[in-house]
Amino acid sequence: MHDIAKPKFGVPGARVSNSQLGETNVWLSALGLTTGIIMVISLMLLILIQGLVVFWPREVLQFTTTANGKAEVIAGEVRKTQERRDPTKPGEIVQEYLFFTGNKDAYGNGFRYLDVNSISNQTKPSGIYMAERLEYGDSIFFPVSLKLVDGRVISATDPTFQTEFKRVVKEVNNRRGEIKKVEKGKIGKINNKLSSLALDEKVLTQGNDSNKQQKLAEITEKRAALQADYEVLAKEAQALRARQHENTLVYKLADNTERTQHIGEIVHYYMPNDLSFLGKVSHFIQGLWNFIVDEPREANTEGGIFPAIFGTFVMTILMSVLVTPLGVIAAIYLREYAKQGLLVQSVRISVNNLAGVPSIVFGVFGLGFFVYFVGASVDQLFFSSALPTPTFGTGGVLWASFTLALLTLPVVIVATEEALVAVPRGVREAGLACGASKWQMIQRVVLPSALPGILTGVILAMARGAGEVAPLMLVGVVKLAPSLPLDLTAPFIHAERKFMHLGFHIYDLGFQSPDSEAAKPMVFATTMLLILLVVIMNVAAIRIRNNLRKKYAASTF
């Protein structure tokens, strides 16, 4: 280390080293910051690229392989190229492809590893189709013919094949929407009304109402009417489902094996090797949109993630609404009213330590206190007629939000206290000098000035709460929720319902999926959307904070 002739403690001519100037620490700090930024950017880029590439159509290759003297023709996508050691030839490295073959119903698996040395021929066939299906994942095939309900058989070489195939696929998709409206909408409402009647009947049977028999007769009459409506709708849904199997596609695999597929099982299709650039862009946008707005299928490895996005959003907003007043009230008392001493200091230390408690501990507490104690008490008081089936005495979005509000409470308390301290003393004294009481001064002067700082704590709490998974597994999140916490059915807000969450969805896809290779792209895509959702909510909160900061310029926090 070289000494530099710089004034030391104001003494001209005295030498001071770089370490005394702190330049080493500055460089180390800059190095640490740069390393952190590079790591964050690298992680974001990895998630972004791997998440978006899922929706970009890859080209389909057809390989002729030879293994043990047996030739095989397969078609699919090369998902990954890697090297491995050959156990039969020590020291030799073999290159292999992770090859997506689709057609799980035909091959038993959608992926296989392919030794590059076993490939004797490679082509990029034109006219090959990739179809997303309701079951067994994607299918890769060459169409042979289309058997329509009117008896026509249209060959794949017929000029009208494309038009007819597109028409019948659109038709079955529209019909699938109709089935959903009937089964989930109309029949769902009837089932809710039948459940409500069953509860009313149970209450009447156990009670001593003077008009008991008359009311029971009315319930029986209503139930009969609803049951009649149910039968009509069930037959309508059954007829619609039967029509989904009217048209059939005959196709062959790359090895010329011929198979058939009901058109009603196909969600959409495209020809990956024949798409133009604009066609690929259109397919990419459509795929991304469907992923956002559709419901999951096939053990969450197919379809979209809308229920998980919606559940995460609702839970995070509800958690923020719960934690903000609690945290602000606690901070105001600790900073403005409590006598500063050993007890308050102990409380502050406890609050700070609470932030370091593992989140699963909060989950266990939430399960025991909110679900089993508070929820069971609510059921006893207000939903006793539904017992032993619990209403609030089981996990739900409300208890999940309460648990995460408790988990993020220290963040809001600490941030609010710092914001309150940052309000200038002169502003406080000016308020008191104008004749305001202490509470009026806090309410009208201190809190508005501290709002930007309080919102900073809320933003941090939202970011942490949205990404938590462990406690949610105990207090309400599920793999697949049939209904959303908010819908158009009265009372519109269903706080007792279980819900889906993006963080749990990632865990489920990554560690619980029966086909980990098929689920891997979905993990990246879901992670990308989770980060995007957190960023959007934080940007909205930051904009509110900045507006408040301009409005109350006296704040220095």
Side-chain angles (χ1 to χ4, degrees):
M1 188 68 64
H2 301 289
D3 290 343
I4 302 173
K6 292 180 179 178
K8 183 180 182 182
F9 305 120
V11 180
R15 290 184 174 276
V16 60
S17 65
N18 286 338
S19 61
Q20 286 175 311
L21 287 172
E23 290 186 4
T24 306
N25 293 336
V26 172
W27 280 106
L28 284 175
S29 301
L31 180 65
L33 179 63
T34 306
T35 306
I37 291 173
I38 290 173
M39 290 172 66
V40 169
I41 291 175
S42 302
L43 179 63
M44 292 297 109
L45 282 176
L46 174 69
I47 293 171
L48 189 66
I49 293 171
Q50 294 290 337
L52 290 177
V53 80
V54 177
F55 308 106
W56 187 260
R58 294 181 171 93
E59 60 182 18
V60 172
L61 301 176
Q62 182 168 295
F63 293 142
T64 303
T65 63
T66 306
N68 301 323
K70 185 180 177 184
E72 184 185 15
V73 181
I74 54 173
E77 299 173 345
V78 176
R79 292 289 176 90
K80 189 168 69 175
T81 303
Q82 62 186 26
E83 293 180 341
R84 64 172 175 82
R85 295 184 182 278
D86 188 347
T88 61
K89 300 174 183 176
E92 188 171 332
I93 302 297
V94 178
Q95 196 176 42
E96 65 180 8
Y97 293 146
L98 176 61
F99 200 60
F100 174 66
T101 59
N103 302 304
K104 200 186 297 181
D105 49 338
Y107 300 134
N109 203 336
F111 287 85
R112 68 167 70 175
Y113 284 99
L114 206 59
D115 191 336
V116 174
N117 294 329
S118 68
I119 299 173
S120 58
N121 186 38
Q122 172 181 327
T123 59
K124 194 173 81 171
S126 177
I128 195 166
Y129 281 58
M130 173 83 78
E132 182 182 347
R133 302 179 294 180
L134 291 177
E135 293 181 349
Y136 299 111
D138 292 347
S139 177
I140 301 172
F141 60 87
F142 294 97
V144 175
S145 62
L146 196 60
K147 294 181 179 177
L148 300 179
V149 64
D150 57 7
R152 289 184 294 156
V153 178
I154 303 175
S155 170
T157 56
D158 192 305
T160 62
F161 177 83
Q162 282 283 349
T163 309
E164 286 296 313
F165 191 33
K166 185 176 181 181
R167 180 186 65 79
V168 291
V169 170
K170 184 178 179 182
E171 197 175 278
V172 296
N173 280 328
N174 292 338
R175 197 178 295 127
R176 200 175 294 126
E178 292 176 31
I179 293 170
K180 185 178 177 183
K181 282 181 184 175
V182 172
E183 291 184 341
K184 203 168 181 179
K186 296 177 182 177
I187 293 181
K189 284 181 181 176
I190 289 178
N191 285 333
N192 289 336
K193 288 178 182 176
L194 286 171
S195 300
S196 179
L197 286 177
L199 289 178
D200 292 343
E201 186 180 35
K202 184 179 176 183
V203 172
L204 281 172
T205 305
Q206 294 174 349
N208 297 315
D209 195 306
S210 56
N211 296 323
K212 185 175 178 179
Q213 294 304 323
Q214 182 184 349
K215 289 181 178 178
L216 285 173
E218 290 175 358
I219 288 175
T220 304
E221 188 178 343
K222 287 179 182 177
R223 182 185 289 127
L226 288 172
Q227 193 66 37
D229 292 341
Y230 173 84
E231 296 293 340
V232 172
L233 290 170
K235 285 181 181 176
E236 183 183 346
Q238 191 177 3
L240 288 171
R241 286 195 174 279
R243 290 187 63 192
Q244 292 294 79
H245 297 140
E246 288 175 343
N247 303 309
T248 306
L249 172 72
V250 181
Y251 65 95
K252 62 180 180 180
L253 305 179
D255 58 0
N256 282 327
T257 306
E258 198 165 287
R259 299 180 65 85
T260 59
Q261 176 75 57
H262 291 303
I263 301 295
E265 296 294 317
I266 295 177
V267 180
H268 72 86
Y269 69 94
Y270 63 101
M271 300 167 70
N273 292 348
D274 300 317
L275 285 176
S276 63
F277 178 75
L278 287 179
K280 290 182 178 180
V281 171
S282 173
H283 178 85
F284 172 83
I285 295 171
Q286 187 64 44
L288 182 60
W289 174 252
N290 290 339
F291 184 66
I292 293 172
V293 301
D294 280 354
E295 295 182 355
R297 305 190 310 271
E298 289 283 285
N300 292 347
T301 58
E302 300 286 344
I305 56 169
F306 177 73
I309 294 175
F310 192 78
T312 307
F313 177 77
V314 170
M315 188 217 65
T316 307
I317 295 297
L318 193 53
M319 177 208 72
S320 303
V321 170
L322 292 170
V323 73
T324 303
L326 289 175
V328 171
I329 290 170
I332 289 175
Y333 181 78
L334 286 173
R335 181 56 58 184
E336 304 291 340
Y337 287 101
K339 185 179 179 181
Q340 303 301 313
L342 183 60
L343 180 61
V344 171
Q345 193 64 26
S346 302
V347 170
R348 276 205 187 92
I349 292 172
S350 301
V351 168
N352 291 332
N353 287 337
L354 205 60
V357 174
S359 58
I360 189 67
V361 176
F362 285 95
V364 174
F365 176 80
L367 179 67
F369 181 73
F370 292 125
V371 178
Y372 289 157
F373 177 66
V374 180
S377 302
V378 170
D379 281 353
Q380 289 288 346
L381 289 173
F382 302 105
F383 302 97
S384 57
S385 59
L387 291 174
T389 304
T391 304
F392 280 91
T394 182
V397 67
L398 180 65
W399 303 137
S401 301
F402 265 111
T403 303
L404 287 189
L406 193 62
L407 187 148
T408 54
L409 188 61
V411 179
V412 179
I413 291 177
V414 172
T416 304
E417 272 207 87
E418 294 298 325
L420 294 174
V421 170
V423 177
R425 184 183 179 86
V427 176
R428 295 167 178 267
E429 291 176 348
L432 293 173
C434 289
S437 65
K438 186 171 183 177
W439 170 242
Q440 287 174 325
M441 182 268 292
I442 292 172
Q443 185 186 10
R444 306 286 176 82
V445 177
V446 176
L447 277 180
S449 301
L451 264 180
I454 295 171
L455 280 175
T456 300
V458 175
I459 291 167
L460 294 173
M462 286 170 67
R464 183 175 181 194
E468 281 293 342
V469 176
L472 298 181
M473 292 194 292
L474 301 176
V475 290
V477 77
V478 288
K479 180 185 179 76
L480 186 64
S483 304
L484 299 174
L486 295 178
D487 60 20
L488 297 178
T489 304
F492 310 114
I493 301 174
H494 307 278
E496 80 285 2
R497 283 184 182 172
K498 298 184 186 300
F499 66 105
M500 294 181 69
H501 186 271
L502 284 171
F504 182 76
H505 195 73
I506 293 168
Y507 163 77
D508 181 57
L509 285 172
F511 298 97
Q512 304 292 319
S513 173
D515 192 342
S516 59
E517 289 298 337
K520 195 182 292 182
M522 300 287 280
V523 170
F524 282 107
T526 308
T527 306
M528 181 186 69
L529 285 180
L530 174 59
I531 293 173
L532 188 64
L533 181 66
V534 173
V535 169
I536 290 172
M537 287 193 292
N538 281 353
V539 166
I542 288 169
R543 285 183 65 86
I544 295 171
R545 184 188 65 182
N546 291 342
N547 289 336
L548 290 171
R549 185 171 286 165
K550 287 178 185 174
K551 187 175 180 180
Y552 304 105
S555 173
T556 57
F557 184 69

